Amino acid sequence: MRRLFAASTLALSLAAGAAQAQVDTAGVDAAVQRVLPEVVAWRRDFHQHPELGFAETRSAG
């Protein structure tokens, strides 16, 4: 989850600064490709082990 947060923060920072500076789209694409397998694994794991709302003990861990 930390990597996802970091990637989201990076994307927001790049989007905010896009008007002021040239964005290295190749670098962003490379960063996304590095974390994509882990994010897909998280999504699959969440769907294989569903939890009721406000009782997400496994997901919170």
Side-chain angles (χ1 to χ4, degrees):
M1 293 306 266
R2 290 182 200 156
R3 284 187 183 178
L4 180 60
F5 177 74
S8 299
T9 304
L10 174 62
L12 288 173
S13 297
L14 290 174
Q20 298 173 358
Q22 186 69 18
V23 176
D24 176 22
T25 56
V28 173
D29 288 341
V32 169
Q33 290 305 314
R34 279 195 304 271
V35 298
L36 187 62
E38 188 174 15
V39 173
V40 170
W42 290 337
R43 180 182 54 83
R44 289 180 178 161
D45 182 65
F46 289 149
H47 286 276
Q48 288 173 354
H49 304 96
E51 296 177 296
L52 296 174
F54 301 106
E56 300 94 346
T57 54
R58 187 174 178 277
S59 299

